[in-house]
Each structure stands twice: as structure tokens, then as C-alpha cells.
Amino acid sequence: TPMDVERAAGLPGVRLESGAPLLLGGLADRQTILVAPLGADAISSEVAVTRQLATSARERGLTVMVADLAAAAPHAAGEVLRTVRDLEAQHAVVIVPLARLDDASSAALLDGTRPALFVARSGRLRRAELMGAVATLRRLGIPCAGVVLHEPGSG
């Protein structure tokens, strides 16, 4: 539950409700958000959360771009960074779904200006995996916007 996430990791936890806007506190009007899946079967939840983030930003009148970098080769981390920087110059909000937190493309994007948002399927996130991911971000000085728990079929 979101309360369990908050108690365990000290991060905001949010459950994604069907059709509801995904409201996250502390994000600026010009922001890049790295969306990182955690736990079993989290990729489909990452897609739903990315879609809701984009919709919520557009409803606030912001220009939004989802950077689909899944096709980038692991050795192209520098190209991924250049692409995201170009998008940041053109759009108020850039949402970057990551394949994993620990691959080369993701690592190239991790810096203190781009918060990470973890996404997990509700009921499928192990505490140890959450705590390990949070510890990684803290060690690197990367802000974490929180954890979204997604119910399959709800958005």
C-alpha cells in the first residue's frame, strides 16, 4: 500500500486510480521525470503511469514529450543524453521511461536535476527491491519523486 511505501522508504506513495489525474507534489512546471519500473511485471504499469503523467501535465497547459528511448543501444548512452537534453530545451515536461535503473542509458540520465519516479504493480513490489533502489538514488544524490502503485486494468 502507499502507506507501507511511505513507512519503509520515507517516500510518497500513490495508488493510481482509473481515470484520475496523477498528481505528484514537488515537481516543477519545467521538469524531466525518469520513470523506473520496480518489481515483477512493472513494465505495463510503467506505460500506464507514463500516460497518466503526460495527460496530467497537458491538462495543466504544459508541453509534454515522452522520450521513448527503448530502441537505443546500450553503447549509445551519450546519444540518449543528447536526445533528452534536446527535448528538455523544447518541452516543459519530458517523461523518460527507463528499462531499468542500472543500465547504461539510465545511468547517463541520472543527475540531481531529473527526479526518478518508481512504478510498481500493486502487491508485486518487494521491500528489499524498493530499499535497494532508493539507496542507489540517495548514494548518487538523485531526487526521488515517490512510488506509484498501479492496479492492473485501472489506468
Side-chain angles (χ1 to χ4, degrees), residues 37-63:
L38 285 181
D41 304 321
I43 296 296
S44 62
S45 293
E46 181 184 39
V47 170
V49 168
T50 297
R51 185 173 44 243
Q52 283 301 109
L53 273 174
T55 298
S56 294
R58 283 186 192 101
E59 288 173 351
R60 291 173 47 209
L62 302 172
T63 60

Side-chain angles (χ1 to χ4, degrees), residues 6 35 38 62 97 100 102:
E6 290 176 14
V35 182
L38 285 181
L62 302 172
R100 296 187 332 264
D102 63 351

Side-chain angles (χ1 to χ4, degrees), residues 26-44:
L27 296 179
D29 282 348
R30 289 198 66 81
Q31 187 79 63
T32 297
I33 305 163
L34 306 175
V35 182
L38 285 181
D41 304 321
I43 296 296
S44 62

Side-chain angles (χ1 to χ4, degrees), residues 81-132:
L81 182 57
R82 279 188 292 281
T83 299
V84 169
R85 284 182 177 156
D86 288 346
L87 293 173
E88 288 170 333
Q90 299 169 30
H91 301 279
V93 177
V94 178
I95 303 167
V96 185
L98 304 176
R100 296 187 332 264
L101 193 58
D102 63 351
D103 71 14
S105 294
S106 298
L109 296 172
L110 294 173
D111 72 27
T113 66
R114 297 184 189 100
L117 176 68
F118 292 123
V119 176
R121 279 185 63 174
S122 206
R124 301 302 276 293
L125 178 60
R126 293 186 350 250
R127 185 174 196 261
E129 185 173 6
L130 172 61
M131 298 309 293

